[in-house]
Amino acid sequence: MSEELLHQVTLNGAGPVHIAVIMDGNGRWARGRALPRPLGHQAGMRAVREAVEGALAAGVEVLTLFAFSQENWQRPADEIGALMALLEEYIAREMADLKQQGVTVRFLGDLERLPQAQRAAVERLMAHTEGGTRLALNICISYGARAELTRAARLLAEEVRAGRMAASDIDEEQVARRLYTSAFPDPDLLIRTSGELRLSNFLLWQLAYAEIYVTPVLWPDFQRQHLWEAILEYQRRDRRFGKVTA
Ligand code: IPE
Ligand code: IPE
Ligand code: MG
């Protein structure tokens, strides 16, 4: 059944090149099983592997996952501690396979806020997987879109002050070049799990024309066929970009 989905995705062709995912619902998944929230996050970590392998199989070029937001730093210390421990565990467990699968991993966000061990681990994974050509996997951690845009504004202001550019040179391309995602095309498709209908400060600039797909599936239950279903739905959409369809 799921192989049929993949077959259909491949037959249809035509993207999406870049998929962004708001991985939400770990807490509710745990609550539904009367488990502590960290066990929901642990189960969510397994779903990341599903998403990555589903993207590889479908020929997606860029996968950008929202793993931990700037606002998530306001969660209780023990939950943050559990998430940080899982981050290290994920890196230790997946590093060799990601490299072998041709995945280049990048972490996007304010990485300076990470504890030292996690900071070192993310740097290690990025260095180890550099040069993979099948999939660019971006993991957004300590990420907030408004902070990202504010940082871009600051970088531009510094360049103007230093006389390297004029204020009148600032255009959309110059802004986009100073975002964490500068190396990638904008996401074509945004998936949010657990049924929430909001962006939660994720990629506000880059999602300007993304197709939005919300599924009630909780992130720990997310499997590769869910990704392929979302891609099939995307392939049925009519993207107009403000124009009139021919
Ligand atoms: C998403 O799951 C993971 C993170 C935000 C770190 P949640 O922890 O937000 O799960 P819910 O929304 O409470 O179910
Ligand atoms: C968004 O989920 C952040 C991540 C998935 C990492 P949240 O659970 O933090 O979002 P809100 O609080 O429901 O908007
Ligand atoms: Mg949530």
Side-chain angles (χ1 to χ4, degrees):
M1 191 56 224
S2 66
E3 290 308 313
E4 256 168 57
L5 280 174
L6 179 61
H7 183 63
Q8 197 54 52
V9 161
T10 318
L11 270 185
N12 290 348
V17 171
H18 183 174
I19 300 180
V21 186
I22 302 177
M23 310 185 290
D24 199 9
N26 296 351
R28 276 161 284 170
W29 184 92
R31 195 173 59 213
R33 288 167 175 71
L35 296 170
R37 293 177 60 87
L39 289 187
H41 296 312
Q42 190 174 46
M45 191 171 73
R46 292 195 293 271
V48 171
R49 196 181 170 107
E50 281 291 312
V52 168
E53 291 182 358
L56 282 166
V60 172
E61 291 174 32
V62 188
L63 180 66
T64 300
L65 304 177
F66 201 7
F68 188 81
S69 73
Q70 177 181 256
E71 292 75 20
N72 290 150
W73 287 115
Q74 298 167 66
R75 292 191 179 195
D78 58 341
E79 180 167 348
I80 293 174
L83 283 163
M84 290 299 139
L86 283 170
L87 173 62
E88 246 191 303
E89 192 185 320
Y90 174 79
I91 291 170
R93 193 190 322 188
E94 302 291 326
M95 179 139 69
D97 283 354
L98 288 166
K99 167 88 178 168
Q100 194 266 329
Q101 288 165 322
V103 180
T104 296
V105 184
R106 289 183 191 78
F107 287 90
L108 314 184
D110 182 6
L111 304 181
E112 288 182 5
R113 284 185 79 174
L114 294 176
Q116 195 45 49
Q118 280 70 23
R119 183 73 204 271
V122 303
E123 297 291 349
R124 211 180 313 126
L125 182 58
M126 289 194 281
H128 188 73
T129 60
E130 209 186 313
T133 54
R134 285 186 66 210
L135 176 70
L137 172 63
N138 300 321
I139 304 180
C140 298
I141 278 186
S142 189
Y143 173 87
R146 287 183 172 179
E148 179 187 34
L149 284 161
T150 304
R151 175 178 169 275
R154 203 181 305 119
L155 292 172
L156 286 164
E158 278 164 11
E159 289 181 53
V160 171
R161 192 188 49 183
R164 286 196 297 273
M165 72 191 294
S168 57
D169 293 334
I170 299 175
D171 55 12
E172 292 182 12
E173 193 197 321
Q174 292 297 334
V175 175
R177 269 202 222 164
R178 283 155 187 88
L179 301 178
Y180 295 127
T181 50
S182 60
F184 309 103
D186 286 340
D188 303 294
L189 170 64
L190 169 72
I191 298 173
R192 184 163 188 156
T193 57
S194 85
E196 304 293 356
L197 301 174
R198 53 179 172 266
L199 293 177
S200 301
N201 200 17
F202 187 45
L203 302 177
L204 296 181
W205 173 282
Q206 298 90 330
L207 292 172
Y209 265 102
E211 292 296 322
I212 299 175
Y213 179 89
V214 175
T215 169
V217 172
L218 302 174
W219 179 253
D221 292 325
F222 193 85
Q223 296 182 328
R224 61 196 75 195
Q225 49 265 36
H226 296 119
L227 185 82
W228 299 336
E229 275 163 14
I231 294 176
L232 281 179
E233 163 70 23
Y234 167 86
Q235 290 171 335
R236 286 192 287 267
R237 301 267 180 99
D238 177 20
R239 299 185 80 188
R240 290 189 287 278
F241 299 98
K243 296 174 257 186
V244 176
T245 328

